Amino acid sequence: MDSMKLVHMANQIALNFRLQPTDDAAALTAEHLKAFWSPAMRQALVAHLASGGEGLEPLAKAAAAR
């Protein structure tokens, strides 16, 4: 899957949790990614983060780093 599509999706998920306290929001976003994304999708997101994380919102970056 295209990394920018994954970035868009991760940002949308993070947006849904943004009103939670920051640590909770990152944890909830990470839990969602673990529960609903395939291992390949998660690996691609982590690889994208490792290469700079272009386009990821701060909350999505924090979740991907978990």
Side-chain angles (χ1 to χ4, degrees):
M1 179 174 280
D2 175 36
S3 65
M4 292 315 290
K5 175 75 171 169
L6 293 174
V7 166
H8 178 73
M9 291 168 46
N11 285 340
Q12 286 181 316
I13 294 164
L15 183 65
N16 287 318
F17 294 112
R18 77 186 182 286
L19 297 179
Q20 302 295 323
T22 304
D23 288 341
D24 292 344
L28 289 168
T29 303
E31 287 175 23
H32 181 93
L33 296 175
K34 288 177 188 172
F36 297 105
W37 282 28
S38 71
M41 291 169 71
R42 293 192 311 266
Q43 290 172 352
L45 183 63
V46 169
H48 181 76
L49 179 62
S51 70
E54 178 185 353
L56 282 170
E57 296 295 328
L59 182 56
K61 279 185 180 181
R66 290 176 176 243

